[in-house]
Amino acid sequence: MTVPLIDPFARTIDYLRVSVTDRCDFRCTYCMSEHMTFLPKKELLTLEELERLCTTFVRLGVKKLRITGGEPLVRRNILSFFEGMSQHLGNGLDELTLTTNGSQLDRFAAPLAAAGVRRINVSLDTLDADKFKAITRWGSLDKVKRGIAAAQEAGMRVKINAVALKGFNDVELFDLVGWAKAEDMDLTFIEVMPMGDMGDGTDGTLRLDQYWPLKNLRAQLATRYTLTELDHRTGGPARYVRLEETGQQIGFITPLTHNFCESCNRVRLTCTGQLYMCLGQEDMADLRAPLRASEADVPLEDAIRAAIARKPKGHDFDYSRQKVAGQVSRHMSHTGG
């Protein structure tokens, strides 16, 4: 049997997040600059190369594969990749899923479900159409809602990921919770992360001013609901509570106020073949070179194992004292959400 991927801290690495493109049809203020310079297409791995890489990871013990971007559904012929990877479901791979902004879901939901996608995450931070357009710069809330409806109609379970932003969606907390309940969707809140362009405040996007600690969000929730801690895990960093009055499940991803690294089981692969062992660290391994150097997979497997052997214990994001310790220079869209 193939020896599983074990990092220096005895954590089994069985979750791979793959960014298939750095491009997106939105320009969310906390994720991208408005005028992004995207990677030249010639630098991107082909879908066939991405499939070979992911297949190698599955052979080495990866059981969950999440496709991200940018916006993964804007990549040309992306369905062929999902169809190829679906062949591993039940044969090493337990779950094939994706994170999306929802803009393309109305036309992709049915074929994604046919390829074995059962759960998706949709990034959505506000229910106000004008605020949605402002924070995404280019997005349409109505189109995203149509996409969500199409995903549910196709039989997929939808989870909403909302970035907690002070002065933006803090006033919508109970609206978001109520909407998720009414539409039978799970909801997870995420602390805004210090990655990429932190903003200078001239356009209202200074990241330090947007930071809303989830402990404060939870305290606000507790003024209306009884929160019960849950042991539920989905393979990611979220911690969950149940709202006793409604029975719904709310998740919290807290890279800043609570370091969740002790149970980290994942690595991130970019569309250029860079493997980041930690979202909050700059260290990465180049897998494109061994991928292209040989048709045999042994050099690639060796490179993957060497990279896992360098996985750090954790990251060091910190917004304390009005500065950003542990800031990462690359945009979130480069590594994958």
Side-chain angles (χ1 to χ4, degrees):
M1 292 181 63
T2 303
V3 178
L5 297 172
I6 308 292
D7 78 358
F9 305 94
R11 297 173 296 198
T12 299
I13 308 305
D14 57 8
Y15 180 5
L16 177 66
R17 300 175 69 104
V18 182
S19 174
V20 294
T21 179
D22 67 326
R23 296 171 186 268
C24 188
D25 49 355
F26 289 0
R27 296 291 184 273
C28 294
T29 57
Y30 53 78
C31 182
M32 291 186 175
S33 298
E34 184 170 6
H35 304 289
M36 285 289 292
T37 300
F38 292 109
L39 295 166
K41 291 185 178 180
K42 64 182 180 180
E43 292 188 16
L44 271 61
L45 297 180
T46 66
L47 291 176
E48 291 78 13
E49 288 175 323
L50 283 167
E51 187 173 334
R52 181 183 165 199
L53 261 173
C54 293
T55 296
T56 302
F57 271 98
V58 172
R59 188 167 59 248
L60 295 177
V62 162
K63 298 185 179 305
K64 179 176 180 178
L65 186 63
R66 178 174 294 280
I67 310 307
T68 70
E71 170 47 48
L73 298 181
V74 301
R75 173 120 192 207
R76 189 174 182 181
N77 297 325
I78 189 60
L79 275 178
S80 66
F81 174 76
F82 277 96
E83 290 163 355
M85 293 313 301
S86 71
Q87 305 304 310
H88 299 294
L89 288 169
N91 187 27
L93 189 64
D94 292 342
E95 184 173 27
L96 175 63
T97 185
L98 80 152
T99 295
T100 173
N101 64 25
S103 66
Q104 307 297 317
L105 268 180
D106 52 351
R107 63 192 182 99
F108 278 108
L112 284 170
V117 176
R118 298 290 175 260
R119 292 193 307 130
I120 61 169
N121 290 356
V122 177
S123 301
L124 190 151
D125 306 317
T126 176
L127 297 173
D128 182 296
D130 291 335
K131 288 167 66 175
F132 185 87
K133 187 173 181 61
I135 198 166
T136 63
R137 295 189 176 109
W138 297 0
S140 164
L141 180 61
D142 284 343
K143 189 174 183 182
V144 171
K145 285 185 173 180
R146 289 197 301 270
I148 290 171
Q152 291 180 314
E153 186 176 342
M156 291 187 284
R157 182 72 186 171
V158 177
K159 178 166 77 72
I160 300 298
N161 285 342
V163 176
L165 298 166
K166 184 171 65 176
F168 181 78
N169 59 7
D170 45 0
V171 295
E172 296 184 72
L173 174 60
F174 296 114
D175 291 336
L176 283 163
V177 170
W179 175 68
K181 172 63 177 176
E183 299 296 327
D184 190 27
M185 297 181 295
D186 293 324
L187 174 63
T188 290
F189 291 101
I190 307 171
E191 284 177 334
V192 64
M193 297 186 194
M195 300 185 70
D197 183 5
M198 294 296 292
D200 59 11
T202 57
D203 62 352
T205 60
L206 184 63
R207 198 79 56 80
L208 285 171
D209 290 344
Q210 293 178 323
Y211 174 49
W212 183 19
L214 291 196
K215 62 180 180 181
N216 296 349
L217 185 154
R218 285 182 58 143
Q220 189 172 334
L221 269 182
T223 64
R224 187 173 299 185
Y225 300 106
T226 303
L227 280 56
T228 301
E229 298 281 348
L230 300 175
D231 292 330
H232 176 69
R233 297 288 183 271
T234 60
R239 299 296 180 263
Y240 295 92
V241 300
R242 180 174 58 249
L243 305 186
E244 294 298 343
E245 288 77 6
T246 66
Q248 70 193 109
Q249 182 174 278
I250 303 293
F252 304 96
I253 297 179
T254 54
L256 302 161
T257 55
H258 175 256
N259 188 305
F260 49 67
C261 304
E262 67 278 358
S263 60
C264 182
N265 63 338
R266 58 205 161 276
V267 288
R268 287 170 166 82
L269 180 68
T270 74
C271 52
T272 56
Q274 297 172 322
L275 185 71
Y276 284 89
M277 288 69 79
C278 175
L279 177 64
Q281 302 281 358
E282 298 282 12
D283 186 34
M284 63 86 180
D286 174 27
L287 298 185
R288 182 170 58 181
L291 175 75
R292 293 180 173 176
S294 173
E295 292 185 3
D297 288 334
V298 172
L300 180 59
E301 291 185 7
D302 289 345
I304 291 171
R305 291 191 183 280
I308 300 303
R310 302 205 316 259
K311 184 171 171 64
K313 189 173 184 180
H315 62 252
D316 189 29
F317 289 145
D318 184 8
Y319 275 124
S320 64
R321 298 179 300 280
Q322 287 297 294
K323 68 175 185 177
V324 183
Q327 180 182 347
V328 175
S329 61
R330 66 185 184 276
H331 286 276
M332 192 71 180
S333 59
H334 176 73
T335 314

